[in-house]
Amino acid sequence: YYLDNADCWWIIRGANPTVTFTSFATWNSGDPVYVEESADASFSAGVTRLATLSGDILLSVRTYTAGVGRYLRLRFTSNSGGGFIGFDASWSVSMACAACDVGTYKDALGREACAPCPAGSY
């Protein structure tokens, strides 16, 4: 069971960050889990909400994935009305990286297409 007045968050970074809920039971009013993605690690701009989850809603496994080079955030808040069972979730990131041709590169997150290396560096 979770505590009253919780405000917890987790940020997942990597290629195609993914979260999968395998069980879920929060109070239907006042104890939501928000699943969001953003290009900004601080989640101060450009935030897209992928889901708002609350209640006893898990009839099957639910999976949410952010785009390549984006961050995925889970935020759970609870009110003062008493705790409930909570949720179980796991996360993953893709480790696949498409190679660039010789003389080209991608940024560390692979967000852009392959670009030519600066002159004199290979």
Side-chain angles (χ1 to χ4, degrees), residues 7-30:
D7 187 1
C8 307
W9 50 269
W10 302 266
I11 295 176
I12 305 164
R13 176 183 177 209
N16 297 98
T18 299
V19 64
T20 300
F21 292 92
T22 53
S23 68
F24 198 98
T26 65
W27 288 114
N28 197 29
S29 58

PDB file of all heavy atoms in Angstrom, residues 7-30:
ATOM      1  N   ASP A   7       4.181  12.140  -3.897  1.00  0.00           N
ATOM      2  CA  ASP A   7       4.489  12.836  -5.145  1.00  0.00           C
ATOM      3  C   ASP A   7       5.807  12.247  -5.642  1.00  0.00           C
ATOM      4  O   ASP A   7       6.885  12.723  -5.303  1.00  0.00           O
ATOM      5  CB  ASP A   7       4.600  14.341  -4.939  1.00  0.00           C
ATOM      6  CG  ASP A   7       4.741  15.090  -6.251  1.00  0.00           C
ATOM      7  OD1 ASP A   7       4.736  14.454  -7.335  1.00  0.00           O
ATOM      8  OD2 ASP A   7       4.854  16.330  -6.217  1.00  0.00           O
ATOM      9  N   CYS A   8       5.704  11.179  -6.411  1.00  0.00           N
ATOM     10  CA  CYS A   8       6.877  10.422  -6.864  1.00  0.00           C
ATOM     11  C   CYS A   8       6.987  10.521  -8.380  1.00  0.00           C
ATOM     12  O   CYS A   8       5.981  10.546  -9.080  1.00  0.00           O
ATOM     13  CB  CYS A   8       6.728   8.947  -6.485  1.00  0.00           C
ATOM     14  SG  CYS A   8       6.380   8.663  -4.747  1.00  0.00           S
ATOM     15  N   TRP A   9       8.221  10.540  -8.878  1.00  0.00           N
ATOM     16  CA  TRP A   9       8.409  10.518 -10.324  1.00  0.00           C
ATOM     17  C   TRP A   9       9.691   9.786 -10.682  1.00  0.00           C
ATOM     18  O   TRP A   9      10.621   9.714  -9.899  1.00  0.00           O
ATOM     19  CB  TRP A   9       8.379  11.919 -10.926  1.00  0.00           C
ATOM     20  CG  TRP A   9       9.268  12.918 -10.248  1.00  0.00           C
ATOM     21  CD1 TRP A   9       8.928  13.743  -9.211  1.00  0.00           C
ATOM     22  CD2 TRP A   9      10.637  13.198 -10.534  1.00  0.00           C
ATOM     23  NE1 TRP A   9      10.010  14.503  -8.845  1.00  0.00           N
ATOM     24  CE2 TRP A   9      11.070  14.198  -9.643  1.00  0.00           C
ATOM     25  CE3 TRP A   9      11.541  12.689 -11.463  1.00  0.00           C
ATOM     26  CZ2 TRP A   9      12.365  14.696  -9.663  1.00  0.00           C
ATOM     27  CZ3 TRP A   9      12.836  13.194 -11.472  1.00  0.00           C
ATOM     28  CH2 TRP A   9      13.214  14.191 -10.581  1.00  0.00           C
ATOM     29  N   TRP A  10       9.651   9.223 -11.864  1.00  0.00           N
ATOM     30  CA  TRP A  10      10.780   8.487 -12.424  1.00  0.00           C
ATOM     31  C   TRP A  10      10.951   8.951 -13.863  1.00  0.00           C
ATOM     32  O   TRP A  10       9.989   9.055 -14.615  1.00  0.00           O
ATOM     33  CB  TRP A  10      10.510   6.989 -12.408  1.00  0.00           C
ATOM     34  CG  TRP A  10      10.233   6.437 -11.054  1.00  0.00           C
ATOM     35  CD1 TRP A  10      11.133   5.864 -10.199  1.00  0.00           C
ATOM     36  CD2 TRP A  10       8.961   6.376 -10.383  1.00  0.00           C
ATOM     37  NE1 TRP A  10      10.499   5.458  -9.049  1.00  0.00           N
ATOM     38  CE2 TRP A  10       9.166   5.765  -9.134  1.00  0.00           C
ATOM     39  CE3 TRP A  10       7.666   6.788 -10.719  1.00  0.00           C
ATOM     40  CZ2 TRP A  10       8.143   5.550  -8.219  1.00  0.00           C
ATOM     41  CZ3 TRP A  10       6.645   6.574  -9.806  1.00  0.00           C
ATOM     42  CH2 TRP A  10       6.892   5.964  -8.575  1.00  0.00           C
ATOM     43  N   ILE A  11      12.192   9.196 -14.266  1.00  0.00           N
ATOM     44  CA  ILE A  11      12.494   9.610 -15.649  1.00  0.00           C
ATOM     45  C   ILE A  11      13.386   8.545 -16.267  1.00  0.00           C
ATOM     46  O   ILE A  11      14.405   8.156 -15.686  1.00  0.00           O
ATOM     47  CB  ILE A  11      13.171  10.986 -15.700  1.00  0.00           C
ATOM     48  CG1 ILE A  11      12.205  12.060 -15.191  1.00  0.00           C
ATOM     49  CG2 ILE A  11      13.628  11.303 -17.124  1.00  0.00           C
ATOM     50  CD1 ILE A  11      12.797  13.445 -15.111  1.00  0.00           C
ATOM     51  N   ILE A  12      13.001   8.091 -17.445  1.00  0.00           N
ATOM     52  CA  ILE A  12      13.743   7.053 -18.168  1.00  0.00           C
ATOM     53  C   ILE A  12      14.290   7.685 -19.441  1.00  0.00           C
ATOM     54  O   ILE A  12      13.544   8.308 -20.203  1.00  0.00           O
ATOM     55  CB  ILE A  12      12.824   5.868 -18.518  1.00  0.00           C
ATOM     56  CG1 ILE A  12      12.148   5.337 -17.249  1.00  0.00           C
ATOM     57  CG2 ILE A  12      13.613   4.778 -19.221  1.00  0.00           C
ATOM     58  CD1 ILE A  12      10.970   4.441 -17.534  1.00  0.00           C
ATOM     59  N   ARG A  13      15.582   7.502 -19.672  1.00  0.00           N
ATOM     60  CA  ARG A  13      16.234   8.071 -20.842  1.00  0.00           C
ATOM     61  C   ARG A  13      16.901   6.960 -21.629  1.00  0.00           C
ATOM     62  O   ARG A  13      17.486   6.042 -21.062  1.00  0.00           O
ATOM     63  CB  ARG A  13      17.286   9.078 -20.403  1.00  0.00           C
ATOM     64  CG  ARG A  13      18.070   9.641 -21.556  1.00  0.00           C
ATOM     65  CD  ARG A  13      19.138  10.571 -21.037  1.00  0.00           C
ATOM     66  NE  ARG A  13      19.937  11.048 -22.146  1.00  0.00           N
ATOM     67  CZ  ARG A  13      21.185  11.391 -22.045  1.00  0.00           C
ATOM     68  NH1 ARG A  13      21.792  11.334 -20.886  1.00  0.00           N
ATOM     69  NH2 ARG A  13      21.844  11.810 -23.089  1.00  0.00           N
ATOM     70  N   GLY A  14      16.837   7.053 -22.934  1.00  0.00           N
ATOM     71  CA  GLY A  14      17.481   6.080 -23.797  1.00  0.00           C
ATOM     72  C   GLY A  14      16.724   5.991 -25.099  1.00  0.00           C
ATOM     73  O   GLY A  14      15.756   6.716 -25.319  1.00  0.00           O
ATOM     74  N   ALA A  15      17.151   5.114 -25.965  1.00  0.00           N
ATOM     75  CA  ALA A  15      16.468   4.931 -27.244  1.00  0.00           C
ATOM     76  C   ALA A  15      15.136   4.233 -26.979  1.00  0.00           C
ATOM     77  O   ALA A  15      15.082   3.159 -26.398  1.00  0.00           O
ATOM     78  CB  ALA A  15      17.327   4.113 -28.192  1.00  0.00           C
ATOM     79  N   ASN A  16      14.064   4.858 -27.363  1.00  0.00           N
ATOM     80  CA  ASN A  16      12.706   4.330 -27.191  1.00  0.00           C
ATOM     81  C   ASN A  16      12.432   3.844 -25.769  1.00  0.00           C
ATOM     82  O   ASN A  16      12.145   2.667 -25.550  1.00  0.00           O
ATOM     83  CB  ASN A  16      12.418   3.214 -28.194  1.00  0.00           C
ATOM     84  CG  ASN A  16      12.465   3.705 -29.609  1.00  0.00           C
ATOM     85  OD1 ASN A  16      13.483   3.534 -30.270  1.00  0.00           O
ATOM     86  ND2 ASN A  16      11.411   4.322 -30.078  1.00  0.00           N
ATOM     87  N   PRO A  17      12.502   4.741 -24.764  1.00  0.00           N
ATOM     88  CA  PRO A  17      12.204   4.313 -23.401  1.00  0.00           C
ATOM     89  C   PRO A  17      10.764   3.798 -23.293  1.00  0.00           C
ATOM     90  O   PRO A  17       9.846   4.383 -23.849  1.00  0.00           O
ATOM     91  CB  PRO A  17      12.410   5.574 -22.568  1.00  0.00           C
ATOM     92  CG  PRO A  17      12.330   6.702 -23.535  1.00  0.00           C
ATOM     93  CD  PRO A  17      12.760   6.165 -24.860  1.00  0.00           C
ATOM     94  N   THR A  18      10.613   2.682 -22.581  1.00  0.00           N
ATOM     95  CA  THR A  18       9.325   1.997 -22.502  1.00  0.00           C
ATOM     96  C   THR A  18       9.022   1.641 -21.050  1.00  0.00           C
ATOM     97  O   THR A  18       9.917   1.252 -20.307  1.00  0.00           O
ATOM     98  CB  THR A  18       9.368   0.703 -23.343  1.00  0.00           C
ATOM     99  OG1 THR A  18       9.624   1.052 -24.699  1.00  0.00           O
ATOM    100  CG2 THR A  18       8.064  -0.070 -23.269  1.00  0.00           C
ATOM    101  N   VAL A  19       7.750   1.771 -20.663  1.00  0.00           N
ATOM    102  CA  VAL A  19       7.300   1.311 -19.361  1.00  0.00           C
ATOM    103  C   VAL A  19       6.123   0.372 -19.575  1.00  0.00           C
ATOM    104  O   VAL A  19       5.282   0.600 -20.443  1.00  0.00           O
ATOM    105  CB  VAL A  19       6.925   2.470 -18.412  1.00  0.00           C
ATOM    106  CG1 VAL A  19       5.742   3.263 -18.944  1.00  0.00           C
ATOM    107  CG2 VAL A  19       6.655   1.962 -17.012  1.00  0.00           C
ATOM    108  N   THR A  20       6.105  -0.712 -18.806  1.00  0.00           N
ATOM    109  CA  THR A  20       5.035  -1.705 -18.902  1.00  0.00           C
ATOM    110  C   THR A  20       4.432  -1.922 -17.518  1.00  0.00           C
ATOM    111  O   THR A  20       5.154  -2.255 -16.575  1.00  0.00           O
ATOM    112  CB  THR A  20       5.569  -3.042 -19.454  1.00  0.00           C
ATOM    113  OG1 THR A  20       6.126  -2.816 -20.754  1.00  0.00           O
ATOM    114  CG2 THR A  20       4.472  -4.081 -19.546  1.00  0.00           C
ATOM    115  N   PHE A  21       3.132  -1.714 -17.408  1.00  0.00           N
ATOM    116  CA  PHE A  21       2.407  -1.947 -16.163  1.00  0.00           C
ATOM    117  C   PHE A  21       1.856  -3.371 -16.183  1.00  0.00           C
ATOM    118  O   PHE A  21       1.179  -3.763 -17.124  1.00  0.00           O
ATOM    119  CB  PHE A  21       1.245  -0.957 -16.014  1.00  0.00           C
ATOM    120  CG  PHE A  21       1.690   0.456 -15.807  1.00  0.00           C
ATOM    121  CD1 PHE A  21       1.854   1.308 -16.890  1.00  0.00           C
ATOM    122  CD2 PHE A  21       1.946   0.941 -14.536  1.00  0.00           C
ATOM    123  CE1 PHE A  21       2.269   2.618 -16.711  1.00  0.00           C
ATOM    124  CE2 PHE A  21       2.363   2.246 -14.348  1.00  0.00           C
ATOM    125  CZ  PHE A  21       2.518   3.087 -15.432  1.00  0.00           C
ATOM    126  N   THR A  22       2.136  -4.125 -15.112  1.00  0.00           N
ATOM    127  CA  THR A  22       1.655  -5.499 -15.027  1.00  0.00           C
ATOM    128  C   THR A  22       0.566  -5.670 -13.969  1.00  0.00           C
ATOM    129  O   THR A  22      -0.147  -6.668 -13.980  1.00  0.00           O
ATOM    130  CB  THR A  22       2.814  -6.466 -14.735  1.00  0.00           C
ATOM    131  OG1 THR A  22       3.511  -6.008 -13.577  1.00  0.00           O
ATOM    132  CG2 THR A  22       3.773  -6.516 -15.925  1.00  0.00           C
ATOM    133  N   SER A  23       0.457  -4.716 -13.051  1.00  0.00           N
ATOM    134  CA  SER A  23      -0.676  -4.665 -12.125  1.00  0.00           C
ATOM    135  C   SER A  23      -0.919  -3.204 -11.773  1.00  0.00           C
ATOM    136  O   SER A  23       0.016  -2.394 -11.779  1.00  0.00           O
ATOM    137  CB  SER A  23      -0.420  -5.497 -10.869  1.00  0.00           C
ATOM    138  OG  SER A  23       0.594  -4.927 -10.078  1.00  0.00           O
ATOM    139  N   PHE A  24      -2.162  -2.869 -11.471  1.00  0.00           N
ATOM    140  CA  PHE A  24      -2.489  -1.467 -11.235  1.00  0.00           C
ATOM    141  C   PHE A  24      -3.759  -1.353 -10.409  1.00  0.00           C
ATOM    142  O   PHE A  24      -4.810  -1.853 -10.809  1.00  0.00           O
ATOM    143  CB  PHE A  24      -2.699  -0.740 -12.576  1.00  0.00           C
ATOM    144  CG  PHE A  24      -2.609   0.744 -12.441  1.00  0.00           C
ATOM    145  CD1 PHE A  24      -1.440   1.400 -12.746  1.00  0.00           C
ATOM    146  CD2 PHE A  24      -3.695   1.483 -11.986  1.00  0.00           C
ATOM    147  CE1 PHE A  24      -1.337   2.779 -12.594  1.00  0.00           C
ATOM    148  CE2 PHE A  24      -3.603   2.850 -11.842  1.00  0.00           C
ATOM    149  CZ  PHE A  24      -2.428   3.503 -12.144  1.00  0.00           C
ATOM    150  N   ALA A  25      -3.661  -0.692  -9.258  1.00  0.00           N
ATOM    151  CA  ALA A  25      -4.841  -0.447  -8.425  1.00  0.00           C
ATOM    152  C   ALA A  25      -4.575   0.757  -7.523  1.00  0.00           C
ATOM    153  O   ALA A  25      -3.892   0.645  -6.508  1.00  0.00           O
ATOM    154  CB  ALA A  25      -5.177  -1.677  -7.586  1.00  0.00           C
ATOM    155  N   THR A  26      -5.073   1.923  -7.938  1.00  0.00           N
ATOM    156  CA  THR A  26      -5.005   3.133  -7.121  1.00  0.00           C
ATOM    157  C   THR A  26      -6.435   3.622  -6.911  1.00  0.00           C
ATOM    158  O   THR A  26      -7.361   3.168  -7.594  1.00  0.00           O
ATOM    159  CB  THR A  26      -4.182   4.241  -7.808  1.00  0.00           C
ATOM    160  OG1 THR A  26      -4.847   4.666  -8.996  1.00  0.00           O
ATOM    161  CG2 THR A  26      -2.771   3.765  -8.143  1.00  0.00           C
ATOM    162  N   TRP A  27      -6.605   4.541  -5.961  1.00  0.00           N
ATOM    163  CA  TRP A  27      -7.940   5.116  -5.783  1.00  0.00           C
ATOM    164  C   TRP A  27      -8.321   5.848  -7.055  1.00  0.00           C
ATOM    165  O   TRP A  27      -7.520   6.570  -7.638  1.00  0.00           O
ATOM    166  CB  TRP A  27      -7.985   6.053  -4.582  1.00  0.00           C
ATOM    167  CG  TRP A  27      -7.922   5.342  -3.273  1.00  0.00           C
ATOM    168  CD1 TRP A  27      -6.907   5.412  -2.367  1.00  0.00           C
ATOM    169  CD2 TRP A  27      -8.875   4.441  -2.745  1.00  0.00           C
ATOM    170  NE1 TRP A  27      -7.176   4.611  -1.295  1.00  0.00           N
ATOM    171  CE2 TRP A  27      -8.397   3.991  -1.493  1.00  0.00           C
ATOM    172  CE3 TRP A  27     -10.107   3.947  -3.182  1.00  0.00           C
ATOM    173  CZ2 TRP A  27      -9.086   3.087  -0.689  1.00  0.00           C
ATOM    174  CZ3 TRP A  27     -10.796   3.048  -2.372  1.00  0.00           C
ATOM    175  CH2 TRP A  27     -10.285   2.636  -1.153  1.00  0.00           C
ATOM    176  N   ASN A  28      -9.560   5.670  -7.479  1.00  0.00           N
ATOM    177  CA  ASN A  28     -10.023   6.199  -8.766  1.00  0.00           C
ATOM    178  C   ASN A  28     -10.020   7.723  -8.813  1.00  0.00           C
ATOM    179  O   ASN A  28      -9.818   8.301  -9.857  1.00  0.00           O
ATOM    180  CB  ASN A  28     -11.413   5.651  -9.087  1.00  0.00           C
ATOM    181  CG  ASN A  28     -11.765   5.820 -10.545  1.00  0.00           C
ATOM    182  OD1 ASN A  28     -10.877   5.838 -11.387  1.00  0.00           O
ATOM    183  ND2 ASN A  28     -13.033   5.938 -10.832  1.00  0.00           N
ATOM    184  N   SER A  29     -10.255   8.372  -7.709  1.00  0.00           N
ATOM    185  CA  SER A  29     -10.261   9.834  -7.734  1.00  0.00           C
ATOM    186  C   SER A  29      -9.170  10.348  -6.804  1.00  0.00           C
ATOM    187  O   SER A  29      -9.183  10.084  -5.610  1.00  0.00           O
ATOM    188  CB  SER A  29     -11.622  10.379  -7.302  1.00  0.00           C
ATOM    189  OG  SER A  29     -11.933   9.914  -6.012  1.00  0.00           O
ATOM    190  N   GLY A  30      -8.198  10.998  -7.376  1.00  0.00           N
ATOM    191  CA  GLY A  30      -7.178  11.626  -6.564  1.00  0.00           C
ATOM    192  C   GLY A  30      -5.824  10.967  -6.525  1.00  0.00           C
ATOM    193  O   GLY A  30      -4.895  11.534  -5.970  1.00  0.00           O
TER     194      GLY A  30
END
